Amino acid sequence: MKLLAALAAACIIIGTAPGAEPQPLPKRLVVIKVDGLPADLLQRNIDRTDPATGRYLLPWMRHVFVDGGTRVENFYVRGVSLSAPSWSMLDTGRHLVIRGNAEFDRAYPRVHDYLNFFPFYVGFARSRRADMPGVEVLDECGIPLLVDQYPYAARYESMQLYQRGVRWETFGAMLKSRIARPVREIVDESQIGVDFSAALLQQQERELIAKLADPKILYLDYYTGDFDHTAHLTNNEAAQLNVLRSIDATVGRIWTAIGASPLADRTVLAMVSDHGMNSDPKAYSEGYDLVRFFNSPAGGRHHVVTDRHPRDQYKLVGLDPFVSWVVNPTSDSTYLAGQKNYTTALLDLDGNERASIQLRNSDLNQLQILFGQLQKQDAQKNVRGVLAAEAMAIIERNRAGWMATAAGLREELPALERAIANESRIIGGQPKKFTAAERAEGIPLEASRRISDLENWQRDERGYSNYLRALERLLAVQPGDLDPMRLHIDELIPPGVMGQPNSLGQLQRYVEGPVAGLALKPDGSFDEARGFERINYFAALTGIHVRNATEEAWGSEPVDFVAVRVPRQSLASSLPARDLPDARAVFLYRDPADEALILSQTRDGVLWLRYVPVSGALEDEHGTLQFTRADWR
């Protein structure tokens, strides 16, 4: 509420002088959304003047938000520096449900690709999609957008990540405006290329300004990604300032149009940005190829899934905008060679100096290695018995968790099936055509939204049903079922299934492949500690070095730290009860001497965080995290 009050008090177009009569409450909201604009860059330039003219470099932002309004200088989106999570918080005012630009499902091969517009546009044209993927997820969680506070007929929404519907007339008007020009300009443009992004922004600005003249339109927004695109390409301050000045001119045109509108004295204008990025002109942005790392022996020999083709500017396949599931296979795998359908790492690489990494559960890797060895016809009977006993031991230690997951799925899937049947009946009774009045109220969108929901539910029902069947088969396995003639790995571990998230201990001792030969204990049982090749991902990731470190300040190690979640119960024997987190803690790792725990508790509705320096953290086979308290430094 404080944020909304600050914006309202800051941005009413006609300021209130001391002692003047109170102005009427705002009725209309206009929001300018600037993607990727760092607050410090705006702060540095909003007070600057041009030495040649003495005028401010950003005169309209200065006039609107400094001279006549208010800046919220300590406002930060509480989340990672990524567009999809940050805009979700800005557009809803709620804590994060969406935590990446792409999110993968661990139960079956599915990705929520929040930044890809093309499938949405095609689905909308076929009347099978009504909203961008991020909006669909928020709708499933019952979280409304700010735009939802206004009737459909009372809002103008630009094209953005959290977008409802598509106005094809905007595209048509944009194309018409590009064609209705002198022939020479069109010919010149055909030679150098058409900047559709700029043309679309110009058209949306024209439409927004026209809508301001209609007093029935109460919500309007304008989204621009120009600054974000430029800042990702270069940290040259002159180039970034050039884009910023263009946005400043847009602010001026919108501000002027507000002043001439019938709701001028009841309009709020706000400008927000979702995140910042490195805009230091002295710093040279560098990247590191994590896909290649996880493909390599040092990274675990994974078949890696990304939501885009890496290095797509060098590949024709990278031109396909409808791809959201790309398998990057490795030729180094020791037990999944030639089986790229068995993906074991999921990467959301699209971020500002961060990557989200998910690895297949280490115990599933162990089982697949053992199953593969059991399938060999030449395995001796005594060897097969040892391998089968080890496989059964892994199943037993996962039995409680798998049973709980299976029980939850058995409870939820019938409800989902009933919802699918009911929704199918409703959709079957929907009209195929709509009147002009119904279209003006957004009724066709609601019809398309139902179709999209149904297709998403059907896909989830198929995916989670397959996962449940695989869990039930694993739980039912007996030693006799592990005979080479009866063992079908793809029925027990389907391709694309990642299983439960790895514990901290599993990531410290992650199984990447088999060792040569059969490792046995003195009693003849399988030696699990020596029977698999393992990797400590905390040390492996922070131990990455590059040869061509271009800046001394950044060093030659591209990974600063690794963060993972830790369940409350793993800390029960290491922390006093009063310090235990409500649910999970976050473990940070830089090196064995530089580690930390972030503990969270909610007290009387207020979130409290405690930062605890530790060292030498190690999770044992029972899931207990042991560590030494370290000094602050």
Side-chain angles (χ1 to χ4, degrees):
M1 292 302 296
K2 290 181 179 178
L3 172 61
L4 292 177
L7 290 176
C11 306
I12 295 175
I13 185 168
I14 297 178
T16 303
E21 290 296 323
Q23 297 295 317
L25 290 175
K27 184 176 182 180
R28 170 185 280 170
L29 175 62
V30 182
V31 185
I32 298 174
K33 301 178 176 182
V34 185
D35 198 272
L37 175 60
D40 60 336
L41 182 72
L42 182 59
Q43 181 66 39
R44 287 200 305 270
N45 286 287
I46 204 164
D47 296 323
R48 284 180 59 191
T49 58
D50 187 336
T53 63
R55 297 175 181 271
Y56 286 110
L57 292 176
L58 304 173
W60 284 107
M61 292 184 192
R62 175 82 190 186
H63 173 65
V64 175
F65 301 113
V66 177
D67 297 338
T70 299
R71 290 170 293 171
V72 185
E73 294 184 1
N74 62 341
F75 170 62
Y76 297 94
V77 173
R78 214 181 79 196
V80 291
S81 180
L82 295 171
S83 291
S86 298
W87 281 120
S88 78
M89 188 171 286
L90 287 169
D91 277 324
T92 66
R94 297 279 292 271
H95 293 307
L96 293 181
V97 170
I98 292 172
R99 298 181 176 90
N101 285 342
E103 293 186 301
F104 299 90
D105 199 308
R106 296 186 65 92
Y108 74 100
R110 182 185 179 183
V111 58
H112 294 275
D113 189 356
Y114 300 121
L115 270 58
N116 196 347
F117 287 86
F118 292 97
F120 165 56
Y121 288 151
V122 172
F124 186 88
R126 297 173 58 229
S127 298
R128 308 193 78 81
R129 296 288 293 274
D131 308 304
M132 280 285 286
V135 179
E136 292 180 342
V137 171
L138 293 175
D139 282 349
E140 287 179 8
C141 298
I143 299 176
L145 299 169
L146 173 61
V147 70
D148 296 331
Q149 307 305 312
Y150 297 84
Y152 178 80
R155 61 201 193 202
Y156 174 85
E157 186 182 13
S158 63
M159 295 176 185
Q160 55 197 285
L161 298 185
Y162 290 88
Q163 178 181 332
R164 292 195 183 278
V166 177
R167 292 185 314 279
W168 293 117
E169 60 269 23
T170 299
F171 287 98
M174 177 199 73
L175 294 173
K176 185 177 179 180
S177 70
R178 307 306 288 180
I179 295 172
R181 292 180 299 153
V183 175
R184 180 174 178 178
E185 290 185 21
I186 297 174
V187 172
D188 288 344
E189 195 169 68
S190 69
Q191 300 297 316
I192 63 175
V194 180
D195 189 348
F196 282 105
S197 176
L200 193 58
L201 281 176
Q202 292 167 7
Q203 179 60 33
Q204 290 184 114
E205 181 187 320
R206 285 192 291 267
E207 291 180 356
L208 183 147
I209 288 174
K211 292 290 185 181
L212 285 169
D214 184 352
K216 296 189 296 294
I217 305 299
L218 303 179
Y219 173 89
L220 307 95
D221 66 30
Y222 173 86
Y223 173 91
T224 171
D226 277 2
F227 186 89
D228 185 79
H229 299 158
T230 300
H232 276 298
L233 291 173
T234 177
N235 57 357
N236 179 275
E237 189 152 4
Q240 294 183 3
L241 179 58
N242 186 51
V243 180
L244 196 53
R245 295 185 73 173
S246 175
I247 296 170
D248 180 80
T250 299
V251 171
R253 290 188 292 270
I254 293 175
W255 179 260
T256 302
I258 290 173
S261 70
L263 296 177
D265 61 342
R266 303 191 65 181
T267 298
V268 171
L269 175 64
M271 187 173 78
V272 294
S273 178
D274 59 334
H275 62 77
M277 63 181 71
N278 175 27
S279 56
D280 185 349
K282 299 178 183 178
Y284 180 80
S285 295
E286 299 177 73
Y288 182 79
D289 192 344
L290 281 174
V291 174
R292 186 169 295 172
F293 170 75
F294 282 106
N295 282 159
S296 73
R301 303 178 175 91
H302 292 275
H303 298 316
V304 180
V305 173
T306 57
D307 61 330
R308 297 287 183 275
H309 287 279
R311 300 173 290 278
D312 57 0
Q313 59 268 46
Y314 305 111
K315 299 179 179 179
L316 289 177
V317 291
L319 299 176
D320 185 351
F322 298 97
V323 170
S324 292
W325 184 276
V326 177
V327 179
N328 304 270
T330 180
S331 58
D332 291 317
S333 180
T334 54
Y335 74 104
L336 293 175
Q339 301 183 70
K340 71 175 186 178
N341 57 330
Y342 273 104
T343 52
T344 53
L346 310 173
L347 267 65
D348 171 20
L349 298 172
D350 193 356
N352 301 317
E353 296 142 4
R354 129 286 175 231
S356 176
I357 303 162
Q358 294 191 52
L359 303 178
R360 189 169 72 161
N361 187 273
S362 182
D363 283 359
L364 291 185
N365 293 354
Q366 287 180 267
L367 282 175
Q368 188 153 6
I369 291 168
L370 293 170
F371 291 160
Q373 293 172 336
L374 282 164
Q375 277 187 329
K376 296 178 180 178
Q377 298 289 339
D378 58 352
Q380 298 179 2
K381 186 174 182 180
N382 64 321
V383 171
R384 190 174 294 125
V386 171
L387 295 175
E390 178 62 18
M392 292 304 301
I394 296 170
I395 292 172
E396 285 305 314
R397 72 169 177 244
N398 284 278
R399 185 173 296 277
W402 290 347
M403 288 180 66
T405 299
L409 288 171
R410 290 192 201 100
E411 179 182 350
E412 294 186 19
L413 281 170
L416 179 58
E417 291 165 359
R418 290 192 296 271
I420 288 171
N422 184 59
E423 198 71 6
S424 297
R425 286 192 295 270
I426 294 173
I427 290 172
Q430 288 185 154
K432 305 301 181 184
K433 296 183 179 181
F434 299 90
T435 65
E438 288 173 329
R439 288 195 294 272
E441 292 297 322
I443 304 300
L445 276 181
E446 291 300 325
S448 298
R449 193 166 286 126
R450 284 187 173 277
I451 294 173
S452 178
D453 288 344
L454 177 62
E455 291 180 348
N456 285 334
W457 295 350
Q458 289 171 331
R459 177 168 51 180
D460 281 343
E461 192 276 333
R462 291 191 298 269
Y464 291 125
S465 294
N466 289 337
Y467 185 46
L468 174 59
R469 285 192 288 271
L471 284 178
E472 290 175 334
R473 293 188 191 105
L474 275 172
L475 289 167
V477 165
Q478 299 297 321
D481 299 325
L482 301 179
D483 180 88
M485 301 300 294
R486 302 173 62 185
L487 180 57
H488 300 283
I489 297 176
D490 59 348
E491 294 181 355
L492 299 173
I493 307 177
V497 169
M498 304 294 285
Q500 297 297 316
N502 289 284
S503 68
L504 190 150
Q506 285 178 307
L507 293 173
Q508 289 178 323
R509 301 177 295 276
Y510 190 83
V511 171
E512 59 164 307
V515 297
L518 185 65
L520 299 177
K521 294 179 180 179
D523 63 0
S525 63
F526 187 85
D527 191 335
E528 186 175 354
R530 296 189 301 111
F532 301 99
E533 293 285 350
R534 298 177 183 268
I535 183 170
N536 182 335
Y537 272 108
F538 297 97
L541 286 164
T542 57
I544 296 173
H545 284 72
V546 296
R547 296 178 180 178
N548 58 336
T550 58
E551 295 175 81
E552 184 177 356
W554 307 141
S556 59
E557 300 171 352
V559 178
D560 292 323
F561 63 89
V562 180
V564 299
R565 290 184 295 182
V566 180
R568 183 180 193 270
Q569 59 268 25
S570 70
L571 301 168
S573 63
S574 304
L575 289 173
R578 65 178 183 276
D579 290 343
L580 287 174
D582 290 342
R584 293 186 177 100
V586 175
F587 174 70
L588 304 179
Y589 177 94
R590 177 64 190 90
D591 56 53
D594 294 296
E595 302 171 340
L597 288 168
I598 299 177
L599 312 175
S600 63
Q601 296 177 354
T602 300
R603 305 175 185 173
D604 298 325
V606 178
L607 179 67
W608 289 71
L609 299 175
R610 171 171 289 181
Y611 182 93
V612 182
V614 301
S615 64
L618 182 66
E619 186 179 276
D620 62 23
E621 63 273 14
H622 304 294
T624 299
L625 183 62
Q626 304 289 344
F627 54 82
T628 301
R629 297 289 286 264
D631 295 330
W632 283 82
R633 54 192 177 86

